[in-house]
Amino acid sequence: MSAGSPSGPPSSPEGVATDDAPLPLSQPESLSKLFWAFTWLALQGFGGVLAVAQRELVERLNWMTREEFVETLAVAQVLPGPNIVNISLMIGDRFFGLRGALVALAGMMLFPAVIVLILAALSTTWLASPRMTGALRGMGAVSAGLILATGFKLLPSLKKNPIGLAPGLALAALVFGATVWLKLPLFWIVLSVGGLGMTLALIALKRARAGVRP
């Protein structure tokens, strides 16, 4: 070994991703890519697209991080309309502005609308059968399981949330209790627990800017 050679471990070559450095986020190359991405996402969403959206947008397409997905979902849930529709509008606007928002919305709605119209035409005979009713109930149970699995998968992202993991889980427990046991209207849950979460986040951000450790 020469006198000038470094004694530490060799550094990774430039341009090679390491485990500690995540790959940079991607983005749709064109409006058509955006349209077909949301079309494929929508066609997989039997009973709900949330679980599929996380896998497609975060894991497969790499358009956003888990933390960004959770934050986008939080905003989408308090806005009027279906969550996934709001998410598609925000992501489309993020990449291509108003055109992207409209294209993403078209991808979410076009083919599912055609399928729903076809099923509506068949509803008087085919969907009225007991076998099909049972099949649709089973599909709903699978969709609920997918949503729960997505929630557990997104739990680690709370560690990077300003309020932390434990307060985030406490807020989630409050929402669960208010919804399942108290059966409170969504408006009051968002106003009370959502307002509490926003207050805790603002306090945590102010403490972080001031350099105060929790």
Side-chain angles (χ1 to χ4, degrees), residues 73-212:
L73 175 61
V75 176
Q77 286 181 322
V78 298
L79 293 176
N83 297 336
I84 190 60
V85 172
N86 295 334
I87 290 176
S88 67
L89 288 169
M90 287 187 282
I91 293 178
D93 177 75
R94 174 182 178 181
F95 292 120
F96 296 103
L98 179 60
R99 293 184 305 157
L102 296 176
V103 168
L105 178 63
M108 282 296 307
M109 302 298 294
L110 181 59
F111 285 95
V114 173
I115 294 174
V116 168
L117 290 175
I118 294 175
L119 292 177
L122 299 174
S123 61
T124 55
T125 54
W126 184 48
L127 294 180
S129 65
R131 291 183 179 180
M132 183 54 60
T133 302
L136 292 177
R137 288 178 179 174
M139 192 177 296
V142 172
S143 299
L146 287 173
I147 293 174
L148 286 175
T150 302
F152 284 116
K153 188 183 295 184
L154 293 174
L155 277 180
S157 63
L158 290 178
K159 295 180 180 178
K160 298 182 180 180
N161 193 277
I163 65 174
L165 179 59
L169 292 176
L171 291 174
L174 286 176
V175 172
F176 183 82
T179 305
V180 176
W181 289 308
L182 299 180
K183 301 185 184 302
L184 295 178
L186 181 60
F187 174 80
W188 295 113
I189 296 176
V190 172
L191 189 63
S192 58
V193 184
L196 176 61
M198 292 177 64
T199 303
L200 293 176
L202 288 174
I203 294 174
L205 289 173
K206 289 182 178 180
R207 290 172 63 90
R209 290 176 181 174
V212 180

